[in-house]
Amino acid sequence: MKLILLGAPGAGKGTVAKMLTQLDGSVQISTGDILRGAVAAGTELGKQAEAAMKRGDLVSDDLIMGIMGKRLQEPDCKNGFLLDGFPRTIPQAEALKGLLARLGIKLDTVVSIDVPREVILDRLTTRRTCSNAKCQAIYNVKSNPPKKEGVCDKCGSPVVQREDETEAAISHRLETYNQKTAPLIGFYEKEGMLLSVNATSSEAVIAAIKRKLGK
Ligand SMILES: [Zn+2]
C-alpha cells in the first residue's frame, strides 16, 4: 500500500501505521525520522538540514522534499509506504504531488482518521509518562495505570503528565492542526484521493482501508 495518513494528534495514526506495516511490509515514513536519518548518514541534504536545525530554523520544504525523494527511492519502499505526519501544509502537498509524479509513484489513497475532539482530549489528558528519560514507559490513568499510583512499574521513577499533554496544551495542538493540516483534507478530496474514516478503533480504520483498496 502507498498511503498518506492524516489525523490530529491523538487520532491514533501511530497505532494504525504499525498495524498496516505488519499487514503487508509497507514502511512507515515520518518527517522526523527521515530528517534524523539523513543527518545521521551525513548526506549533503542531511548536513543542510542539520545546519538549519542548529540555527533553530525550520527545515525548508525544498530540503524536506529532497530528503523525502531520496527516501522514497530506497528499496524498502517497493512494498509500499505510509507517510505519517507528512505533508502538513498545502504547499508541501503540492510539492509532494510533483515529486511522486516525477518518481512515477502512484498513491493508493489518503486516509483521514477522524476522531471526535472529546475522545482525543480524553485519550491524551489521561496519559502519563515515566519521568526517567531512559525508560519513558507510557501509562493511562484510566485504562493502564501503574500498579502504584504515580510510580513507574518498570523503574520506580515518578510517572508524570507531560507538559504537552495537559488539556490546555492539547487544545492548542488541536487548533494548530485544524488551521494548518485540516485544509489538506479539502485538497485530497478535490484530488479524488480522500478516504475519510470516522472511527475510534484502529481495527475499524484498518478494515475501512482494506475495503477501499479491495484487499
Ligand atoms: Zn520508568
Side-chain angles (χ1 to χ4, degrees):
M1 293 179 224
K2 298 183 172 79
L3 304 180
I4 294 175
L5 285 178
L6 300 176
K13 281 200 308 285
T15 312
V16 168
K18 199 171 275 173
M19 290 166 77
L20 287 170
T21 57
Q22 283 163 359
L23 210 64
D24 73 347
S26 310
V27 286
Q28 183 182 356
I29 298 177
S30 77
T31 317
D33 287 345
I34 62 169
L35 280 177
R36 278 189 290 276
V39 169
T43 62
E44 188 48 43
L45 293 171
K47 283 177 192 159
Q48 290 176 33
E50 190 177 26
M53 288 186 281
K54 274 193 179 148
R55 288 195 304 269
D57 291 342
L58 282 178
V59 178
S60 72
D61 280 355
D62 283 351
L63 207 45
I64 291 177
M65 295 320 299
I67 294 172
M68 187 63 76
K70 288 248 168 15
R71 181 69 189 87
L72 291 175
Q73 292 176 78
E74 283 174 29
D76 63 346
C77 288
K78 285 255 152 53
N79 286 334
F81 55 80
L82 315 161
L83 297 183
D84 169 11
F86 183 87
R88 277 188 201 278
T89 61
I90 296 285
Q92 285 183 350
E94 299 272 13
L96 179 65
K97 186 180 168 186
L99 173 68
L100 292 173
R102 278 199 300 285
L103 296 176
I105 296 173
K106 197 180 167 302
L107 282 178
D108 289 310
T109 190
V110 177
V111 182
S112 169
I113 308 174
D114 300 325
V115 179
R117 180 188 163 84
E118 317 81 69
V119 175
I120 291 181
L121 275 174
D122 187 61
R123 263 185 204 170
L124 294 183
T125 57
T126 51
R127 277 199 357 164
R128 297 292 180 273
T129 309
C130 174
S131 57
N132 174 356
K134 285 186 186 142
C135 174
Q136 294 189 12
I138 290 171
Y139 299 92
N140 185 294
V141 290
K142 284 190 186 164
S143 60
N144 175 32
K147 289 195 187 79
K148 188 173 172 217
E149 198 186 328
V151 179
C152 180
D153 292 348
K154 291 181 186 153
C155 74
S157 301
V159 167
V160 298
Q161 182 172 36
R162 283 177 20 181
E163 270 177 34
D164 61 348
E165 291 182 343
T166 61
E167 184 159 349
I170 290 162
S171 295
H172 181 70
R173 281 163 70 192
L174 289 177
E175 238 168 68
T176 306
Y177 173 80
N178 282 335
Q179 280 170 9
K180 286 205 176 160
T181 314
L184 289 173
I185 291 169
F187 176 88
Y188 286 115
E189 201 161 32
K190 258 189 233 149
E191 299 273 310
M193 294 294 294
L194 190 73
L195 170 66
S196 197
V197 189
N198 284 294
T200 49
S201 94
S202 305
E203 287 77 12
V205 176
I206 303 283
I209 294 171
K210 281 183 169 173
R211 264 201 309 280
K212 161 100 179 190
L213 302 186
K215 297 203 182 196

